[in-house]
Amino acid sequence: MTLRIYLWISGYARLSNVEFRSTGQEGWVERGDARSSLAFTDAGTVNHIKPSYVRHCSFHQSFAPAITVHGTNNLPIEWNVMADSVWFGT
């Protein structure tokens, strides 16, 4: 039995010290595709009202790129570790 969670939220995300392991869906790397381990799609501009960031996280044994960002500006992606993922890290 496999549990799949699809989460589409409009807002912001502050991720710090999170481990992502064996995430994503292999075979899809088209522009705008959100099947990576972590995707920020059409989130607009990050600012003090929507304070999003990805810091000090680890991504490993992923089946797709670790982080994809489309239609999002000023998103801090800092001090993360990405290893053993299919395709590319960010």
Side-chain angles (χ1 to χ4, degrees), residues 8-35:
W8 296 94
I9 295 176
S10 177
Y12 60 92
R14 293 179 283 191
L15 300 168
S16 182
N17 299 306
V18 179
E19 178 184 36
F20 294 86
R21 181 177 167 263
S22 301
T23 56
Q25 182 178 351
E26 187 174 2
W28 303 92
V29 290
E30 299 164 2
R31 175 159 171 63
D33 188 49
R35 290 176 245 213

Side-chain angles (χ1 to χ4, degrees), residues 9 13 15 18-19 27 34-35 37-38 49 59 74 76 81 87:
I9 295 176
L15 300 168
V18 179
E19 178 184 36
R35 290 176 245 213
S37 298
L38 180 61
I49 296 169
F59 299 82
N74 301 330
V81 176
W87 294 98

Side-chain angles (χ1 to χ4, degrees), residues 3 12 21 47 53 55 60 64 70-71 75 77 80 84 90:
L3 175 65
Y12 60 92
R21 181 177 167 263
N47 54 36
Y53 57 78
R55 294 182 181 138
H60 55 97
H70 302 286
L75 175 67
I77 300 174
N80 298 291
D84 195 25
T90 306

Side-chain angles (χ1 to χ4, degrees), residues 28-72:
W28 303 92
V29 290
E30 299 164 2
R31 175 159 171 63
D33 188 49
R35 290 176 245 213
S36 60
S37 298
L38 180 61
F40 284 84
T41 304
D42 297 327
T45 300
V46 175
N47 54 36
H48 68 282
I49 296 169
K50 297 188 323 183
S52 298
Y53 57 78
V54 182
R55 294 182 181 138
H56 305 282
C57 295
S58 67
F59 299 82
H60 55 97
Q61 298 172 346
S62 302
F63 299 105
I67 302 172
T68 56
V69 180
H70 302 286
T72 305

